[in-house]
Amino acid sequence: MKIGLAEVNITPPLGMQIPGYGPKERLASGVKDELFAKAMVIESGETLLAFIVIDIVSLELDSCQRIRSRVRDYTGIPSEQVMVACTHTHTGPPRPLDEAALAFYPTLEAKSADAAILAYGKREEARIGCGRGSEDSVAFNRRFFMKDGTVQTNPGIRNPNIDRTEGPIDPEVLVVRIDNALGEPLGIVSNYAVHTDCVSGTEYSGDYPAFISRTIKQLYGESVVSLFMQGACGNINHIDVEGRHDPKVVPHRVRMGNILGREIARVREKTKAASEEADLAVASRFMNVSERALRQHEIEWAEHTLAELGGMPADTLSSRQAMEKARAELRLAAAGRPLASRDYEVQAAAIGELAVVALPAEIFVEFGLEIKAKSPYAYTIINELSGGSGNGYVCTREAYDRGGYEPTGTKFAEEAGELFVQAALELLNELHGRE
């Protein structure tokens, strides 16, 4: 078995719009952490798999296809054997929405592909092993039942009207240890479910995965690549409503990255890396999913919101107001047209006893937990925001009934999550049956 890993700096020029908080202008003024595209290429027998993870909030299908094509052209790895995902950092490169961003995207796509091309060139005899840990102090379900029976997203720290959380978290920390033939560390793949939305401001940052990488490099050396795959965290973030951590003392991204980095290192040290070849396999399925039909109370909310905010100058709106106005406009536009649909890819890759499931968009944690519980593999990584799915929430049916922030979108039909879970499990069982 041969494995190569590489990381390529993709930090954009200053002055570009940083996405993640709606339409409010948010031009990059500095760099907290450099942004990267990271890649791992695995060869076993006659099969090659490539995994690329990009420090970006989301990626569109055409960009994903161009990245895969460049990797194929330079390495011969078939496009369907290349998995492309996002860390979902909210302080990363722009979306391709204006002239400056569109001019930058060919460079972003080429460098993202180059990470895999470089990893391909660095392949060497390697050992691999999987382990799991647990961490429940940095992730919180952000949806809450309030005492009046409603559900709110992020209702505020120490809000006396909070009753209880709506759902679970996924505390599992999955770790893939990768060593060379001499037992020296080459890289670590890690997987955890919590939003990369801990920084805000106008400086580029890889968020807490950047600090996981710092911790790993401090422990094992600067050449060791830390490749983080984002778990199912559509309704999970870092905000503890009990207020037990003061980010003014230690910023969230630093605290979370250090805690997770140490747990990842602890698991790595207890995990044996085997030298024998691992069976590699990959399969994918494109599914046509329609947009969601709006309910009458949602249309009424949009009309009421625009009546309140529509006449206010854009520069007087808060970020929250600007986001609500934009959502209201999108809702009313959607209400007047037939439901559109598009194809989304669900992909699964197997590396011996490890499976990696690539899912579209921002997946609620319940779906990730279901896939893990029913997977035939000993270890299952959920790798969301994959395959050029763009952004948007894939919610549980109950969430649409209860409201809150996440169900405000119209991109995914209410049954989308169940369809993605079904497809993922069918692919996993198909791969497992080949072994």
Side-chain angles (χ1 to χ4, degrees), residues 145-403:
F145 287 106
M146 309 303 287
K147 291 179 180 177
D148 63 3
T150 62
V151 167
Q152 291 186 26
T153 301
N154 290 334
I157 294 173
R158 298 192 182 94
N159 185 333
N161 295 315
I162 292 173
D163 182 17
R164 66 191 188 280
T165 56
E166 181 195 48
I169 67 166
D170 181 358
E172 185 175 60
V173 181
L174 281 175
V175 177
V176 183
R177 173 177 179 162
I178 305 160
D179 296 346
N180 65 17
L182 299 175
E184 300 165 334
L186 290 176
I188 299 175
V189 177
S190 58
N191 176 233
Y192 189 70
V194 62
H195 250 74
T196 34
D197 184 15
C198 310
V199 180
S200 72
T202 59
E203 294 180 299
Y204 292 128
S205 171
D207 213 285
Y208 70 85
F211 271 80
I212 291 176
S213 180
R214 290 191 190 189
T215 300
I216 296 304
K217 289 179 181 293
Q218 287 169 357
L219 290 171
Y220 300 110
E222 285 297 315
S223 65
V224 176
V225 176
S226 169
L227 193 153
F228 177 81
M229 294 182 177
Q230 181 60 269
C233 67
N235 49 347
I236 307 296
N237 69 10
H238 63 286
I239 298 174
D240 178 5
V241 297
E242 295 185 20
R244 289 170 288 195
H245 170 68
D246 185 355
K248 294 178 183 177
V249 177
V250 181
H252 286 300
R253 81 187 197 285
V254 177
R255 172 177 171 268
M256 294 169 66
N258 287 337
I259 289 173
L260 289 169
R262 288 194 294 269
E263 177 66 3
I264 290 163
R266 184 191 70 81
V267 174
R268 178 201 177 274
E269 294 307 315
K270 295 176 65 177
T271 298
K272 180 181 178 181
S275 58
E276 64 268 13
E277 289 190 352
D279 290 329
L280 303 183
V282 64
S284 67
R285 180 175 303 171
F286 281 90
M287 309 180 62
N288 190 265
V289 177
S290 75
E291 293 182 352
R292 183 173 69 90
L294 288 169
R295 302 179 182 187
Q296 183 59 36
H297 72 87
E298 294 176 306
I299 297 172
E300 292 171 357
W301 173 87
E303 292 171 340
H304 176 74
T305 299
L306 286 183
E308 282 192 340
L309 304 177
M312 296 175 62
D315 59 356
T316 66
L317 295 173
S318 67
S319 293
R320 187 179 186 87
Q321 287 174 324
M323 289 177 69
E324 290 199 344
K325 180 183 176 184
R327 286 201 300 273
E329 290 171 341
L330 288 172
R331 276 192 181 183
L332 291 183
R337 65 171 187 256
L339 292 179
S341 66
R342 61 157 282 189
D343 290 336
Y344 294 94
E345 184 180 21
V346 176
Q347 190 179 21
I351 308 165
E353 61 181 356
L354 168 70
V356 182
V357 177
L359 294 175
E362 299 173 67
I363 300 286
F364 266 35
V365 70
E366 289 89 344
F367 297 125
L369 290 169
E370 181 178 357
I371 293 171
K372 287 184 176 185
K374 296 178 180 178
S375 171
Y377 287 86
Y379 302 91
T380 302
I381 285 175
I382 305 298
N383 192 18
E384 73 163 28
L385 282 159
S386 293
S389 63
N391 64 325
Y393 291 96
V394 179
C395 308
T396 61
R397 288 182 184 266
E398 294 81 5
Y400 290 110
D401 293 328
R402 296 166 180 165

Side-chain angles (χ1 to χ4, degrees), residues 10-33:
I10 60 163
T11 308
L14 301 183
M16 289 192 167
Q17 171 73 5
I18 298 177
Y21 297 112
K24 200 78 167 164
E25 186 176 87
R26 188 175 168 228
L27 304 181
S29 63
V31 180
K32 276 189 169 68
D33 320 296

